[in-house]
Structures are given as C-alpha cells and as structure tokens.
Amino acid sequence: MRFKHQQRSVIPTIDLTPMLNVMMATLAFFVLVSMTLTNEQGVNIQLPAQDNTISLENAPPLLVEFKEKQILLDQQQVTKQQLLQQMRVYLQQNPQGSVLLQPDSELPYELVVQLLGEMRDVGGDRVSLAID
C-alpha cells in the first residue's frame, strides 16, 4: 500500500515593510502639508530704539499699579475713569512724561491687556507696561 506523503502546508507570511513604507510616506506628506498651510499668529511688537529711551530726568513717570482688580495711583485706589482723567491731566502738564502700568503677576492677562489698551487710547505711545 502506498501512502500519500502529506506535505506540510506552508504558512503564508505577510511582509509588512512595504505597508510601513507607504504609511510613513503618507504621514510625512500630511505633516509637510499641514506645516505649510498653517499661519503663525503673533503680536507685532516694536522695540524702542536706543536713542528713543524714556528720560526719567525730565519728568518722573506716572506709576499705575494694578492689583487684584484694584487700580492704585500714588498708593491710592482709583476707578478706571478717575485714572484716565488723571492721565490726561498728567500728560498735558508733562509733554515728556510717560505712564507705566505695573500689574500684579497673579492677574489674568486679559484684564491687564484690556486696561493697557484703554490707557493707550488716552496716552498713545507714552504708555508702557512695566515688568519686574
């Protein structure tokens, strides 16, 4: 009697290298496309020139402190309207004077920028943000 020799079945193997190559190429394509299509958004800041520095000898700056939603001018609490009025008077009396806003580091940035914007509406480029 003759028995058939049974051949062992060969398990097919899957080569993952071509698939990984295609996946990596696709990923690289999307990364490059997304980098070229996104626009960086930032704030334009003009740094003062060396000859355009604030001279403290002519008139001392008006220092405004902003702490915990309180506005302090010469260590006295004032409202926003009073501050803007006193700024107008100060800037008219001191043509070379400047106004410095010194906010508390714990305040939300949005409140600081809002007050600084209102102060700049009155004082223009003579209003600055003081930092420690």
Side-chain angles (χ1 to χ4, degrees):
M1 223 188 267
R2 270 183 131 195
F3 293 106
K4 291 186 179 181
H5 248 333
Q6 292 187 358
Q7 292 181 342
R8 289 189 175 169
S9 62
V10 177
I11 299 175
T13 59
I14 299 174
D15 190 12
L16 296 177
T17 305
M19 183 180 70
L20 290 175
N21 287 340
V22 169
M23 295 293 289
M24 294 302 282
T26 307
L27 177 66
F29 172 77
F30 282 114
V31 167
L32 289 174
V33 168
S34 67
M35 293 297 290
T36 58
L37 293 180
T38 56
N39 294 333
E40 287 187 27
Q41 302 218 356
V43 177
N44 292 332
I45 297 176
Q46 292 181 341
L47 296 176
Q50 288 181 347
D51 60 338
N52 193 16
T53 58
I54 297 173
S55 175
L56 298 178
E57 296 169 1
N58 295 340
L62 182 65
L63 182 62
V64 179
E65 296 180 56
F66 191 25
K67 298 180 179 182
E68 300 177 13
K69 299 184 183 179
Q70 295 178 1
I71 301 171
L72 301 174
L73 182 63
D74 294 329
Q75 303 299 326
Q76 296 176 357
Q77 185 174 355
V78 294
T79 65
K80 195 180 295 187
Q81 306 308 338
Q82 291 171 336
L83 170 67
L84 298 178
Q85 180 61 33
Q86 289 184 8
M87 277 181 55
R88 284 186 189 95
V89 171
Y90 172 80
L91 292 173
Q92 287 174 353
Q93 291 175 353
N94 300 305
Q96 297 296 321
S98 62
V99 180
L100 297 176
L101 175 63
Q102 185 174 14
D104 188 20
S105 61
E106 301 297 320
L107 284 176
Y109 186 68
E110 181 179 326
L111 292 175
V112 175
V113 170
Q114 183 181 15
L115 180 61
L116 185 62
E118 292 176 14
M119 290 172 65
R120 283 190 181 231
D121 290 341
V122 173
D125 62 347
R126 294 167 59 189
V127 176
S128 301
L129 182 63
I131 56 173
D132 290 332

